[in-house]
Amino acid sequence: MYFDIYEFTYKNFRSAVNNKVRSRSKTLPSGTTFVDMNKSGTINFKTESQTFPGTGLFWDQSIKLLDLPLVLVLKDPNLTPLDRVKLAITGDLAVTCNCPSLRYHGYAYILSQLDSKLGRKEKRFPVVRNPELSGVVCKHLDSALVTLPFHVNDLVAYIKDMI
Ligand SMILES: [Zn+2]
């Protein structure tokens, strides 16, 4: 199978999260909720703000399954919709979150450099907040990525119409 080292897969994301972010994402008060998946293969999650819990403030995370178009047209008759979803979520991903931390801590820049930033690219190097370019995503995206494999059946419901 074709493998592009410049794009980040699920495994890369899970191993590149910095430890500070990992310990914070584990303490998120109400965790992360699956919202939906659109026709372009972008999965939406929302996560309650940890800085202002209980205030109804949520941040939106989006994870785009870049390999989904390819996975949907694979001709193998033995591939079930669940198999296709599993292939797509372990393939290349592009992600974003609308929280301030993503830009402030330099993750938007790092993701842009990795060609894995969904939406607008960030060109400004995080000179002050993260000059060593540590980590890759905010705690909300880390939490969404941890949650993703638990929603394979939700995703099957969405892709059934696309095959
Ligand atoms: Zn975030």
Side-chain angles (χ1 to χ4, degrees), residues 44-97:
N44 297 302
F45 289 93
K46 63 178 191 171
T47 304
E48 189 175 19
S49 164
Q50 191 183 14
T51 317
F52 306 102
T55 59
L57 180 61
F58 283 84
W59 301 116
D60 302 315
Q61 299 75 50
S62 297
I63 300 174
K64 185 170 186 177
L65 306 176
L66 299 177
D67 292 339
L68 186 64
L70 172 70
V71 163
L72 290 176
V73 298
L74 291 174
K75 293 279 186 253
D76 185 343
N78 297 319
L79 274 181
T80 66
L82 182 61
D83 294 333
R84 290 176 198 268
V85 164
K86 286 180 175 170
L87 277 172
I89 69 166
T90 50
D92 291 337
L93 306 175
V95 302
T96 197
C97 178

Side-chain angles (χ1 to χ4, degrees), residues 131-151:
E132 67 281 7
L133 300 178
S134 166
V136 65
V137 290
C138 63
K139 61 195 173 197
H140 318 106
L141 270 171
D142 183 48
S143 184
L145 286 160
V146 170
T147 306
L148 180 59
F150 297 101
H151 290 284

Side-chain angles (χ1 to χ4, degrees), residues 2-58:
Y2 175 70
F3 181 69
D4 183 350
I5 57 163
Y6 296 103
E7 280 182 302
F8 247 42
T9 65
Y10 184 82
K11 235 174 117 181
N12 299 142
F13 274 108
R14 298 296 303 127
S15 57
V17 170
N18 88 24
N19 288 331
K20 250 192 296 185
V21 167
R22 174 65 41 73
S23 64
R24 286 196 207 116
S25 71
K26 278 189 182 154
T27 61
L28 288 174
S30 60
T32 296
T33 310
F34 172 85
V35 178
D36 60 12
M37 182 169 84
N38 68 24
K39 290 218 181 307
S40 69
T42 300
I43 306 160
N44 297 302
F45 289 93
K46 63 178 191 171
T47 304
E48 189 175 19
S49 164
Q50 191 183 14
T51 317
F52 306 102
T55 59
L57 180 61
F58 283 84

